[in-house]
Amino acid sequence: MNRKPTDFDGDLVEWSKRVFWIAFRQTFGWTLLGVGVAGLALPILPGWLLIGWGILTLAADIPFFQRLVDRVENRLPRLKAAIQRMKRRHHHEQKRSSGTDGSPHAS
């Protein structure tokens, strides 16, 4: 059975944390994309940087953006190491927020 991160598993607190972080990550990612697009027209904002950060943030939850990141990794091998570091950092933070890594932050 293929479970989604938002499927309820009986623990309301853990489910609420997962849903909150997914919603937060998506809101943050879409905001970065929007500000990045505005940054393409405004000289004071780093548009491409914000767009890239938004895409990397959304790739954790939206398959289209994950495919886009995979495509960039394959076409631009110089960026692959940096993207992999960001993915590992994100995965570590995701485990820490869900309390599965044994850190003192786990509830």
Side-chain angles (χ1 to χ4, degrees), residues 75-92:
R75 286 186 170 219
L76 301 170
R78 296 174 116 186
L79 291 179
K80 189 171 188 168
I83 292 171
Q84 291 299 324
R85 276 194 309 270
M86 292 229 10
K87 284 181 180 179
R88 279 194 305 272
R89 184 179 306 145
H90 168 72
H91 182 68
H92 174 70

